[in-house]
Amino acid sequence: MRLSKYFLPTLKETPAEARIVSHRLMLRAGMVRQASTGIYSWLPLGLRVLQKIEAIVRDEQVNSGAQEILMPTIQSADLWKESGRYEDYGKEMLRITDRHGREMLYGPTNEEQITDIVRHAIKSYKDLPKNLFQIQWKFRDEIRPRFGVMRGREFLMKDNYSFDLDEAAGRHSYNKMFVAYLRTFARMGLRAIPMAAESGPIGGDLSHEFIVLAATGESEVFYHKDFDRFDAMAGDADYNSDLQPVVDHWTSLYAATDEQHDARKCPVPEADLVTGRGIEVGHVFFFGAKYSKPMGAVVQDADGNTVPLQMGSYGIGVSRLVGAIIEASHDQAGIIWPESVAPYLVGLINLRTDDEGCLKASEGLYAAFLKAGVEVLYDDRAERPGAKFSNMDLIGLPWQVTIGPKGLEKGVAEIKSRASGERTELKLSEVVKHFAHL
Amino acid sequence: MRLSKYFLPTLKETPAEARIVSHRLMLRAGMVRQASTGIYSWLPLGLRVLQKIEAIVRDEQVNSGAQEILMPTIQSADLWKESGRYEDYGKEMLRITDRHGREMLYGPTNEEQITDIVRHAIKSYKDLPKNLFQIQWKFRDEIRPRFGVMRGREFLMKDNYSFDLDEAAGRHSYNKMFVAYLRTFARMGLRAIPMAAESGPIGGDLSHEFIVLAATGESEVFYHKDFDRFDAMAGDADYNSDLQPVVDHWTSLYAATDEQHDARKCPVPEADLVTGRGIEVGHVFFFGAKYSKPMGAVVQDADGNTVPLQMGSYGIGVSRLVGAIIEASHDQAGIIWPESVAPYLVGLINLRTDDEGCLKASEGLYAAFLKAGVEVLYDDRAERPGAKFSNMDLIGLPWQVTIGPKGLEKGVAEIKSRASGERTELKLSEVVKHFAHL
């Protein structure tokens, strides 16, 4: 993409309402624009990141054996009356009356809706297990939306739901998601620590939150320092094997959120306890028959008995992750995207658009990048070098490739790693090859 | 995907409420399930088709130079009061009050929201032209939703918006979309005829509807028989060239919807006029300053004058297309998917799961298909051959590959084209290679 044509409305000044760094940087980098309180439009640069995160989440769901569906955003209130949550949910639920006076709502979560689908479609233990996921917009009418996309009202979430015949099978489904989540966050360059959690309005008695450590995180977390030595789980996973040892490993050390931490009861010696800040990016629940029983989602088991389905539900905050990654990866100059979620791999800078040699070399490189399938954003604008460099640092592409008159004399381009700041030179003829192999 | 594990709740009987063939077939093939009146959940098979259509629409938008963004589903009523459409829109707009008593709505279309984004971001003629598209769910609270996803309340739409300095440039943007639409529908195996149209609540005085011909279409259309000789426009398009000749060509012949056709004034001799039925799948509008003027979306031109942006808007009914393609392509036995949007290219049928040779050959083919990247749905269930064949015909995959004892004796699989019904035999060793090249 040529920057001269790109819709990238970066801001020189940071809007006063942005109180955390990810919100400030997303506004300044032209990634989003607030549409109304806690509701955002995603502009081209931001949407590319959102879509990359979505693709990783989808890929790991499919790898784990989950199947994708898509439920509507607008639900009938009737289902929520069946489960008993319609009154409970309070004002966070956006309630709607349609033209015929029917009570509807914008789904804040989908346990009822999926249970309704499954109770009509699955009748026998032979149809189990099933794990159905979706990536869909949700709405929670937060009383004080803040922190940009980190705590918005309309947000993109991956939610899925597992259905099993008995508790042991349900527990295996839970473990699969536990492992899939470790892999998902690791692929985004995040260190996420699973912490035993309250199950809140979803219900059930087995639940973990996945917390990303970030200096500017929303809440305080406490964890054993040995978590730093854990492998990040981005290798292969065998979802048919017993995953309990992996789950046991990841829950063997103490980790608690502010809400659950009690300094007097903490089993970890002070010297081994790390206090940091964290952001919740995923949450897994196993709640057995909490919804299937009242809603009549039952199957026949092998002996002909009718039993309620054992269910779990699992959520990843897809739009929130965009903010969380920035919180975990930025510096004074701007965002530092991990390659896996970067909107473009390479930022190509032509330092001198008025110089024929620079123009020719830059255009040639740009065409070669496109041909090689390397995602490249090309700053072909007639701007000052300083403005171009600071713009590229702000939007945080992993690699900057700069073409200038001095380098051209030697036949080289300058390569800068956004993360380390390290600069190297590469022969012009080597540049595209180098990045095509990344 | 193995059918034994797939969530594919096909129905033996057709629900009574389904009055058109696409609705009946989508329910019977387990593609969707009604969540509430005019609102559907997309099950795995249906979602795959929806995503393929979405990918083609996106690809042609990007090819034409449009840039993708994503606006929220929930909008503030304030913007609609600025444009003057808040009262006009009537009961089809789903109106919502949030917890703080603010008037919100579920977007039925996005002219106001995009104009708001652009008026803050684009200040100079140098930033033009711009064309921004999104693929997002919309809601129209139809008084009588019907025909399944063809006229649902919550529906997926590609909408985009062009911004230009003057009318001539705006007209070129309109022409680009006109051509992109011809290409988009042709890639889905559809014959879409552009027909001059009323602009309705969107406004403006230049507008075309793209109508797909289908025997069971929702409305009557009248068109010159020579349209049948027009090329389908799936070759390359040069969007930088003058596209007016292409648009002129496609609008040179008479074509009108029921609403606009007047038999007494029709310029086409009766012998040359085809009367058929059609489904609207796309609509393009050029409306100049209708929104930019009241909403203050202005730029400075080269002479320093402040001028309102010239805008067009363009819509494709992405979820509706799933129904439209089925209306245009089915037979008594079920759906006939064009390859470009088929949920899987190949349906692999093991006729005899209890036969060791059949099992081994089928499993081998399945593994080889996956390895070759061929999208395959494998019927590995212990069902009668008749049930397997009729299920494959119902869900309409383009190619059926059947492994049975008789064929195996000769070392062949039977290949059936769903569209023509033609059966051929292929050596087992040739099967995967054959489909990998399609």
Side-chain angles (χ1 to χ4, degrees):
Chain A
M1 175 60 67
R2 286 172 189 273
L3 211 39
S4 62
K5 296 192 186 285
Y6 203 38
F7 184 60
L8 183 67
T10 51
L11 303 178
K12 293 235 165 55
E13 305 193 356
T14 304
E17 80 271 18
R19 281 163 35 203
I20 62 170
V21 66
S22 60
H23 191 190
R24 281 197 295 271
L25 288 172
M26 288 180 74
L27 291 171
R28 283 191 51 214
M31 293 178 62
V32 292
R33 183 182 150 76
Q34 182 171 298
S36 49
T37 312
I39 303 180
Y40 292 84
S41 289
W42 293 78
L43 306 184
L45 192 78
L47 183 60
R48 282 181 78 94
V49 177
L50 187 69
Q51 288 173 334
K52 297 241 167 148
I53 292 173
E54 194 182 326
I56 291 174
V57 170
R58 174 175 288 116
D59 194 45
E60 290 298 330
Q61 287 296 306
V62 170
N63 284 346
S64 79
Q67 297 177 40
E68 188 169 7
I69 62 166
L70 190 63
M71 292 178 272
T73 60
I74 301 297
Q75 306 181 19
S76 163
D78 293 346
L79 290 174
W80 290 70
K81 290 177 180 169
E82 270 191 70
S83 74
R85 286 207 295 180
Y86 190 57
E87 298 309 326
D88 297 354
Y89 222 93
K91 288 192 168 182
E92 270 199 18
M93 180 184 275
L94 190 67
R95 291 157 206 263
I96 302 168
T97 306
D98 77 5
R99 70 187 296 167
H100 295 297
R102 285 177 294 222
E103 290 174 277
M104 313 291 286
L105 57 97
Y106 198 122
T109 179
N110 289 63
E111 282 79 9
E112 284 79 0
Q113 206 168 23
I114 192 76
T115 305
D116 180 54
I117 290 170
V118 164
R119 71 179 167 183
H120 286 97
I122 292 184
K123 303 290 184 186
S124 160
Y125 71 97
K126 291 177 194 163
D127 299 325
L128 300 176
K130 282 285 179 294
N131 189 333
L132 303 173
F133 80 98
Q134 70 167 353
I135 300 174
Q136 177 61 299
W137 293 89
K138 317 262 184 306
F139 202 97
R140 288 183 195 160
D141 201 0
E142 301 262 0
I143 191 161
R144 269 183 299 276
R146 58 205 154 131
F147 303 152
V149 301
M150 296 269 285
R151 195 158 198 150
R153 293 199 288 170
E154 187 169 330
F155 58 96
L156 187 60
M157 190 168 161
K158 185 285 299 169
D159 46 323
N160 58 328
Y161 306 89
S162 61
F163 302 89
D164 287 280
L165 183 63
D166 55 36
E167 216 182 303
R171 176 73 201 223
H172 181 59
S173 292
Y174 183 88
N175 289 350
K176 279 185 181 179
M177 283 302 107
F178 191 103
V179 171
Y181 276 29
L182 289 171
R183 290 174 48 82
T184 300
F185 301 127
R187 281 182 63 183
M188 297 173 193
L190 292 173
R191 285 190 61 79
I193 297 180
M195 305 193 180
E198 299 276 349
S199 59
I202 305 289
D205 44 31
L206 177 60
S207 174
H208 287 92
E209 279 181 25
F210 287 76
I211 304 273
V212 164
L213 303 174
T216 50
E218 62 197 337
S219 65
E220 204 160 32
V221 294
F222 304 85
Y223 60 96
H224 196 292
K225 69 176 171 53
D226 286 354
F227 264 116
D228 294 340
R229 299 211 302 250
F230 279 30
D231 269 350
M233 279 297 293
D236 276 349
D238 177 1
Y239 288 103
N240 295 317
S241 69
D242 179 16
L243 300 169
Q244 195 61 46
V246 182
V247 175
D248 288 345
H249 172 66
W250 278 91
T251 53
S252 60
L253 294 176
Y254 182 79
T257 59
D258 201 11
E259 284 167 0
Q260 294 195 295
H261 178 70
D262 182 338
R264 287 161 306 181
K265 292 181 187 166
C266 177
V268 183
E270 212 175 315
D272 293 344
L273 191 71
V274 183
T275 303
R277 298 196 71 82
I279 301 161
E280 182 195 341
V281 288
H283 205 153
V284 293
F285 303 89
F286 181 70
F287 43 68
K290 178 178 153 82
Y291 299 90
S292 55
K293 213 163 189 173
M295 293 183 67
V298 297
V299 291
Q300 294 240 307
D301 69 13
D303 301 324
N305 304 311
T306 299
V307 295
L309 287 163
Q310 294 289 311
M311 291 175 58
S313 82
Y314 315 90
I316 289 179
V318 176
S319 48
R320 157 174 280 210
L321 273 166
V322 181
I325 292 169
I326 296 174
E327 292 290 332
S329 185
H330 66 272
D331 62 15
Q332 287 293 326
I335 303 166
I336 304 172
W337 291 116
E339 286 182 5
S340 59
V341 300
Y344 295 89
L345 180 67
V346 173
L348 172 63
I349 299 173
N350 179 0
L351 273 194
R352 291 274 304 277
T353 50
D354 56 351
D355 177 286
E356 206 172 315
C358 288
L359 188 65
K360 200 177 150 200
S362 301
E363 293 286 330
L365 264 187
Y366 180 58
F369 272 130
L370 293 182
K371 200 173 161 199
V374 174
E375 296 183 327
V376 58
L377 186 63
Y378 169 29
D379 194 343
D380 61 340
R381 300 169 307 159
E383 294 276 348
R384 288 178 303 107
K388 293 189 173 190
F389 288 132
S390 60
N391 185 62
M392 278 295 176
D393 281 349
L394 172 63
I395 67 175
L397 309 184
W399 299 97
Q400 297 172 14
V401 173
T402 301
I403 301 289
K406 283 183 194 163
L408 273 194
E409 279 175 25
K410 297 190 284 176
V412 301
E414 185 184 86
I415 316 294
K416 176 182 152 187
S417 156
R418 176 66 182 89
S420 70
E422 202 183 335
R423 290 161 203 273
T424 50
E425 291 182 343
L426 262 185
K427 274 194 200 163
L428 279 179
S429 59
E430 304 279 310
V431 172
V432 171
K433 218 183 307 171
H434 176 75
F435 289 103
H437 289 160
L438 281 192
Chain B
M1 174 60 68
R2 286 172 189 274
L3 211 39
S4 62
K5 295 191 189 283
Y6 203 37
F7 184 60
L8 182 67
T10 52
L11 303 178
K12 292 233 166 55
E13 305 191 358
T14 304
E17 81 271 18
R19 281 163 36 203
I20 61 170
V21 66
S22 59
H23 191 191
R24 282 197 295 273
L25 287 172
M26 288 180 74
L27 291 171
R28 283 191 51 214
M31 292 177 64
V32 292
R33 183 182 150 74
Q34 182 172 299
S36 49
T37 311
I39 303 180
Y40 292 85
S41 289
W42 293 78
L43 306 184
L45 192 78
L47 183 59
R48 282 181 77 92
V49 177
L50 188 68
Q51 289 174 334
K52 296 239 166 149
I53 292 173
E54 194 181 327
I56 291 174
V57 170
R58 173 175 289 116
D59 194 44
E60 290 298 329
Q61 287 295 306
V62 170
N63 284 345
S64 80
Q67 298 178 39
E68 188 169 7
I69 62 165
L70 190 62
M71 292 179 272
T73 61
I74 301 297
Q75 305 180 19
S76 164
D78 294 346
L79 290 174
W80 290 70
K81 290 177 180 167
E82 270 192 69
S83 74
R85 286 205 296 178
Y86 191 57
E87 299 308 326
D88 297 355
Y89 223 93
K91 289 191 168 182
E92 269 198 18
M93 181 185 275
L94 191 67
R95 290 157 206 264
I96 302 169
T97 307
D98 77 4
R99 70 187 297 167
H100 295 298
R102 286 177 292 224
E103 290 175 279
M104 313 289 287
L105 57 97
Y106 199 121
T109 180
N110 288 63
E111 281 80 9
E112 284 79 359
Q113 206 167 22
I114 192 77
T115 304
D116 180 55
I117 291 171
V118 165
R119 70 179 166 183
H120 286 97
I122 291 185
K123 303 289 184 189
S124 160
Y125 72 98
K126 292 177 193 162
D127 300 325
L128 300 176
K130 282 284 180 295
N131 189 333
L132 303 173
F133 80 97
Q134 67 166 354
I135 300 174
Q136 177 62 298
W137 293 88
K138 315 263 185 305
F139 202 97
R140 289 184 195 162
D141 202 0
E142 300 262 359
I143 190 161
R144 269 183 299 277
R146 58 206 153 129
F147 303 152
V149 301
M150 296 268 284
R151 194 156 197 153
R153 294 199 288 170
E154 187 170 330
F155 57 97
L156 188 59
M157 190 167 162
K158 186 285 299 169
D159 47 323
N160 57 330
Y161 306 90
S162 61
F163 302 89
D164 286 281
L165 182 63
D166 56 36
E167 217 183 303
R171 177 72 199 225
H172 181 59
S173 292
Y174 182 89
N175 289 349
K176 279 185 180 179
M177 282 302 106
F178 191 103
V179 171
Y181 276 30
L182 289 170
R183 290 174 49 82
T184 300
F185 300 127
R187 281 182 62 182
M188 296 173 193
L190 292 174
R191 285 189 62 77
I193 296 180
M195 305 194 180
E198 299 276 348
S199 59
I202 305 291
D205 44 31
L206 176 60
S207 174
H208 288 92
E209 280 182 23
F210 287 76
I211 304 272
V212 163
L213 303 173
T216 50
E218 62 198 337
S219 65
E220 205 160 30
V221 294
F222 304 85
Y223 60 96
H224 196 291
K225 70 177 171 50
D226 287 353
F227 265 117
D228 294 339
R229 297 210 302 250
F230 278 30
D231 270 350
M233 278 296 297
D236 277 348
D238 177 1
Y239 288 104
N240 294 318
S241 70
D242 179 16
L243 300 169
Q244 195 61 46
V246 182
V247 175
D248 288 344
H249 172 66
W250 278 91
T251 52
S252 60
L253 295 176
Y254 183 79
T257 58
D258 201 10
E259 285 167 359
Q260 295 195 294
H261 178 69
D262 182 340
R264 288 161 305 181
K265 292 181 189 165
C266 176
V268 183
E270 212 175 315
D272 293 344
L273 191 71
V274 183
T275 303
R277 298 196 71 82
I279 301 161
E280 181 194 342
V281 289
H283 205 153
V284 293
F285 303 89
F286 180 70
F287 43 68
K290 177 179 154 83
Y291 299 89
S292 56
K293 212 164 190 173
M295 295 183 67
V298 297
V299 290
Q300 295 240 307
D301 70 13
D303 301 324
N305 304 311
T306 298
V307 295
L309 287 163
Q310 295 290 311
M311 291 175 56
S313 81
Y314 315 88
I316 289 180
V318 176
S319 49
R320 159 174 279 209
L321 272 166
V322 182
I325 292 169
I326 296 175
E327 292 290 333
S329 185
H330 67 272
D331 62 16
Q332 287 292 326
I335 303 165
I336 304 171
W337 291 116
E339 285 182 5
S340 58
V341 300
Y344 295 89
L345 179 67
V346 172
L348 172 63
I349 299 174
N350 178 1
L351 273 193
R352 290 274 305 275
T353 51
D354 56 350
D355 177 285
E356 205 173 315
C358 288
L359 189 64
K360 201 179 148 197
S362 301
E363 293 287 330
L365 265 187
Y366 180 57
F369 272 131
L370 293 182
K371 201 175 161 197
V374 174
E375 295 183 327
V376 57
L377 185 64
Y378 170 29
D379 193 344
D380 60 340
R381 300 169 308 159
E383 294 276 347
R384 289 178 304 104
K388 292 189 173 190
F389 288 132
S390 59
N391 185 63
M392 278 296 175
D393 281 349
L394 172 63
I395 66 175
L397 309 184
W399 299 97
Q400 297 172 14
V401 173
T402 301
I403 302 289
K406 283 182 192 162
L408 273 194
E409 279 174 24
K410 296 190 284 177
V412 301
E414 185 185 87
I415 317 294
K416 176 183 152 186
S417 155
R418 177 66 183 88
S420 69
E422 201 183 336
R423 290 161 203 274
T424 51
E425 290 183 343
L426 262 185
K427 275 193 199 163
L428 280 180
S429 58
E430 305 278 310
V431 172
V432 171
K433 218 183 307 172
H434 177 75
F435 289 104
H437 290 159
L438 281 192

